[in-house]
């Protein structure tokens, strides 16, 4: 049932929205057409980010992908929780406060990976300031160091923070673009891997901004 | 002159001016495709990729616009509304906006369905004052409610200017359909001439272009392209004057005038893009750039031509 709900949602709501409101321009879409187990790592400025990435993954592969999301935000009871699971299939983790004894987020993600699932991860940890990249948290590096077979697909999302920034309750149309890098394997320690992934995402961002519709006259 | 000459039946028959116009456009498309094909065959060194992409896009755009206007006036009005929306979105993406502008931007987009509602009901007075009067007052008020005073004038001006150009200006195309019998023909004529002027200027410029006309704003534009363009447009205006109530001489002069106005519109949008540091407003239309790059000339020609014909013929 949930599968058909998702298919309907993505084809009837998300697709038209992405086409007419965002007019999205995608580079490197083929990099997401993989059947390997991957972690999609992206900058994060908007609730749209998850929707856009899941749409790019496509309804056929979507079931294997778990967007890692903050439980304190999405698991408040009611429709938000229901739709977070039904439409986005989130993997809820608890952002730790001081003295918090709940399960370590890394362990939650590790369990999903061992179950063969792919992850969508925003290592900035929060949507933050619109269109600015915050430093990456080291969780992604820890995971990739632990599971070297995992490939990382770096993604840069441009414009989502303008369309629906943090704190906004209605979208405003702008043209947005997505730049997807090739799936890459990493070896080494967590810190180095995190820095390398952050550098890749940043580079995709620079490339996106430099190639905005042919800056060269 | 009377508007008797412009009176045609609303339905499109095979011999009606609208059908004839479709035939002219089709002939031009076929000719352009054939010429490009032979150029490619005879001169293998020539790189015509860009031209091919442009022509392919024309094969979509021209039938789409002609079809919407010819089939049903409502489809024509609707298409212009969509064009306004796309152009406005590209403009707002290009210029610098901040989060505090979101409210005003949102209302600017909402202006489009309202403006086209006035057009649909044929309420001319409201159509012509809604954006210049009511939105002139409303957009700053929405900005004031937001309470952000940094760059207030620049931010508000930027938002409102886009509204004037890409909603108010372009929506004159849609109102031409509502002007009365003959309005649809005049709209097709206007769009045909404005676009063909761009194409002619491009071809003349590529072939004979030497002297830059506005090197700071649009380095590819030349005097040769500009003059050749308006001359060709004048001739084509004469040739297609069966669409209009104008005499041959009148059609020629209007054609030249549209060429000049279109050129100025093109330059103005080019200056916006320069300011934003991009060449094209998006890559929505392969080979042409964004919708903004295709309607830039129309932002000038549509309101000018509209008021010209309204004053003299309707």
């Amino acid at each position: 049932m949930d599968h058909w709900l998702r298919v309907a949602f993505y084809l009837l709501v998300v697709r038209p929205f992405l086409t007419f409101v965002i007019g999205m321009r995608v580079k490197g879409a083929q990099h997401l057409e993989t059947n390997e187990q991957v972690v999609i790592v992206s900058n994060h400025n908007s609730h749209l980010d998850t929707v856009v990435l899941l749409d790019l993954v496509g309804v056929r592969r979507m079931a294997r992908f778990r967007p890692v999301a903050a439980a304190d935000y999405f698991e408040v009871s009611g429709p938000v929780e229901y739709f977070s699971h039904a439409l986005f299939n989130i993997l809820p983790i608890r952002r730790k406060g001081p003295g918090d004894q709940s399960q370590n987020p890394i362990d939650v993600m590790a369990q999903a990976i061992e179950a063969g699932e792919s992850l969508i991860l925003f290592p900035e940890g929060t949507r933050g300031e619109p269109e600015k990249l915050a430093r990456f948290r080291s969780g992604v590096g820890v995971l990739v160091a632990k599971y070297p077979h995992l490939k990382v697909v770096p993604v840069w999302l441009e414009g989502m923070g303008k369309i629906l920034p943090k704190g906004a309750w209605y979208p405003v149309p702008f043209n947005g673009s997505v730049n997807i890098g090739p799936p890459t394997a990493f070896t080494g320690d967590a810190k180095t891997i995190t820095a390398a992934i952050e550098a890749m995402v940043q580079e995709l961002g620079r490339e996106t901004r430099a190639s905005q519709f042919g800056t060269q006259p | 002159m009377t508007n008797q000459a412009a009176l045609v039946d609303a339905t499109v028959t095979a011999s009606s001016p609208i059908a004839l116009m479709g035939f002219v456009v089709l002939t031009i498309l076929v000719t352009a495709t054939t010429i490009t094909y032979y150029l490619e065959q005879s001169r293998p060194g020539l790189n015509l990729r860009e031209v091919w992409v442009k022509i392919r896009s024309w094969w979509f755009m021209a039938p789409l616009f002609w079809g919407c206007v010819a089939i049903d006036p409502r489809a024509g009005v609707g298409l212009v509304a969509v064009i306004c929306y796309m152009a406005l979105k590209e403009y707002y993406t290009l210029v610098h906006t901040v989060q505090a502008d979101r409210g005003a931007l949102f209302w600017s987009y909402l202006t489009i369905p309202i403006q086209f509602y006035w057009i649909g009901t044929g309420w001319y007075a409201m159509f012509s004052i809604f954006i210049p009067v009511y939105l002139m007052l409303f957009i700053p008020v929405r900005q004031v409610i937001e309470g952000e005073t940094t760059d207030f004038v620049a931010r508000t001006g930027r938002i409102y200017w886009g509204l004037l150009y890409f909603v108010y200006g372009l929506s004159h195309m849609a109102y031409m359909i509502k002007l009365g019998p003959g309005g649809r023909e005049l709209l097709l004529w206007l769009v045909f001439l404005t676009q063909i002027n761009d194409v002619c200027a491009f071809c003349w410029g590529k072939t004979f272009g030497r002297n830059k006309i506005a090197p700071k704003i649009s380095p590819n534009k030349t005097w040769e392209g500009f003059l050749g363009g308006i001359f060709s447009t004048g001739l084509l205006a004469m040739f297609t004057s069966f669409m209009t109530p104008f005499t041959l001489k009148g059609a020629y002069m209007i054609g030249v005038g549209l060429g000049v106005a279109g050129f100025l519109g093109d330059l103005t949008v080019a200056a916006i893009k320069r300011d934003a540091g991009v060449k094209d407003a998006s890559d929505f239309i392969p080979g042409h750039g964004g919708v903004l790059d295709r309607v830039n000339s129309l932002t000038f020609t549509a309101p000018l031509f509209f008021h010209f014909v309204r004053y003299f013929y309707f």
Side-chain angles (χ1 to χ4, degrees), chain B residues 63-137:
Chain B
L64 176 70
F65 190 79
W66 181 89
C68 282
V69 176
I71 289 162
D72 191 324
R74 282 168 300 186
V77 173
L79 180 65
V80 178
V82 172
I83 292 172
C84 285
Y85 167 71
M86 308 278 303
L88 188 68
K89 180 153 69 89
E90 284 175 4
Y91 170 78
Y92 284 152
T93 305
L94 283 185
V95 298
H96 178 69
T97 57
V98 299
Q99 202 162 346
D101 293 332
R102 286 173 50 83
L105 289 169
F106 188 76
W107 283 100
S108 299
Y109 283 113
L110 274 189
T111 305
I112 298 172
I114 303 172
Q115 172 77 350
F116 279 82
Y117 175 74
W118 310 137
I119 295 173
T121 56
W123 189 358
Y124 177 73
M126 195 46 130
F127 153 77
S128 56
I129 67 163
F130 179 61
I131 292 172
V133 177
Y134 294 109
L135 267 294
M136 168 189 76
L137 302 174

Side-chain angles (χ1 to χ4, degrees), chain B residues 221-238:
Chain B
K221 290 202 172 44
T222 56
W223 277 104
E224 291 81 357
F226 169 62
L227 294 172
I230 59 174
F231 172 70
S232 317
T233 308
L235 288 185
L236 281 160
M238 275 167 77

Side-chain angles (χ1 to χ4, degrees), chain A residues 19-23 25 130 161-175 212-217, chain B residues 85-86 89-90 92-95 97 99 102-106 109 142 146 219-220 274 277-283:
Chain A
T19 309
F20 295 110
V21 178
I22 312 186
R25 179 171 174 262
K162 277 168 85 183
I163 299 160
L164 189 70
K166 192 174 183 171
W169 58 275
Y170 58 89
V172 170
F174 287 101
N175 284 332
Q212 279 300 37
F213 320 125
T215 314
Q216 301 303 318
Chain B
Y85 167 71
M86 308 278 303
K89 180 153 69 89
E90 284 175 4
Y92 284 152
T93 305
L94 283 185
V95 298
T97 57
Q99 202 162 346
R102 286 173 50 83
L105 289 169
F106 188 76
Y109 283 113
R142 183 61 187 82
E146 199 67 38
N220 291 331
R274 281 270 122 171
V278 299
K279 181 175 170 284
D280 295 330
S282 81
D283 53 6

Side-chain angles (χ1 to χ4, degrees), chain B residues 231-250:
Chain B
F231 172 70
S232 317
T233 308
L235 288 185
L236 281 160
M238 275 167 77
F239 180 67
T240 54
S241 62
F242 59 83
M243 298 289 285
T244 70
F246 313 133
T247 60
L248 280 182
K249 199 176 148 199

Side-chain angles (χ1 to χ4, degrees), chain B residues 43 200-210 222 224-225:
Chain B
R43 290 194 232 165
C200 290
F202 175 82
C203 296
W204 281 91
K206 280 273 166 196
T207 320
F208 302 105
R210 293 284 177 278
T222 56
E224 291 81 357

Side-chain angles (χ1 to χ4, degrees), chain B residues 15-286:
Chain B
S15 60
S16 71
I18 290 181
L20 216 53
M21 192 68 186
F23 183 70
V24 169
V25 173
L26 189 67
T27 312
I28 292 176
L29 281 173
V30 171
T31 313
T33 311
T34 316
I35 290 177
T36 314
Y37 179 76
Y38 278 106
L39 267 178
E40 197 169 54
Q41 297 298 312
S42 59
R43 290 194 232 165
L46 222 55
N47 185 10
L48 293 170
R49 241 192 66 120
E50 190 199 355
V51 178
W52 273 128
V53 180
K54 275 182 196 286
I55 290 180
R56 196 184 316 147
S57 293
W58 278 122
W59 273 103
F60 284 98
M61 289 189 288
L64 176 70
F65 190 79
W66 181 89
C68 282
V69 176
I71 289 162
D72 191 324
R74 282 168 300 186
V77 173
L79 180 65
V80 178
V82 172
I83 292 172
C84 285
Y85 167 71
M86 308 278 303
L88 188 68
K89 180 153 69 89
E90 284 175 4
Y91 170 78
Y92 284 152
T93 305
L94 283 185
V95 298
H96 178 69
T97 57
V98 299
Q99 202 162 346
D101 293 332
R102 286 173 50 83
L105 289 169
F106 188 76
W107 283 100
S108 299
Y109 283 113
L110 274 189
T111 305
I112 298 172
I114 303 172
Q115 172 77 350
F116 279 82
Y117 175 74
W118 310 137
I119 295 173
T121 56
W123 189 358
Y124 177 73
M126 195 46 130
F127 153 77
S128 56
I129 67 163
F130 179 61
I131 292 172
V133 177
Y134 294 109
L135 267 294
M136 168 189 76
L137 302 174
F138 181 76
I139 294 292
V141 167
R142 183 61 187 82
Q143 292 284 67
V144 164
I145 292 170
E146 199 67 38
E148 175 64 57
T149 52
T150 312
D151 261 346
F152 179 83
V153 177
R155 287 191 295 117
T156 311
R158 245 177 237 132
I159 294 170
Y160 186 59
W161 200 54
L163 211 50
L164 278 177
Y165 262 50
F166 304 113
V167 182
Y168 187 58
L170 289 179
S171 69
H172 283 77
M173 286 202 287
Y175 208 91
M176 297 209 69
I177 297 175
K178 287 279 167 181
L179 271 181
R184 274 200 294 171
E185 285 78 355
L186 287 173
L187 171 63
L188 284 174
W189 197 65
L190 161 77
V191 172
F192 169 71
L193 289 180
T194 307
Q195 302 299 356
I196 210 77
N197 180 62
D198 281 7
V199 175
C200 290
F202 175 82
C203 296
W204 281 91
K206 280 273 166 196
T207 320
F208 302 105
R210 293 284 177 278
N211 304 296
K212 293 192 186 312
I213 191 167
K216 272 191 172 167
I217 289 173
S218 193
N220 291 331
K221 290 202 172 44
T222 56
W223 277 104
E224 291 81 357
F226 169 62
L227 294 172
I230 59 174
F231 172 70
S232 317
T233 308
L235 288 185
L236 281 160
M238 275 167 77
F239 180 67
T240 54
S241 62
F242 59 83
M243 298 289 285
T244 70
F246 313 133
T247 60
L248 280 182
K249 199 176 148 199
Y252 179 80
M253 286 166 70
I254 294 167
V256 171
L258 286 178
V260 175
F263 174 76
L264 294 174
D266 197 337
L267 278 187
T268 308
V269 174
I272 298 173
K273 291 183 289 183
R274 281 270 122 171
D275 187 8
V278 299
K279 181 175 170 284
D280 295 330
S282 81
D283 53 6
F284 184 73
I285 310 172

Side-chain angles (χ1 to χ4, degrees), chain A residues 1 10 21 26 35 38 62 71 75 83 99 109 136 141 157 162 169 175 178 184 196 210:
Chain A
M1 213 297 280
Y10 281 87
V21 178
V26 185
N35 289 318
V38 296
M62 208 177 277
E75 288 220 311
F83 285 116
M109 291 187 256
F136 277 14
L157 293 163
K162 277 168 85 183
W169 58 275
N175 284 332
V178 187
T184 314

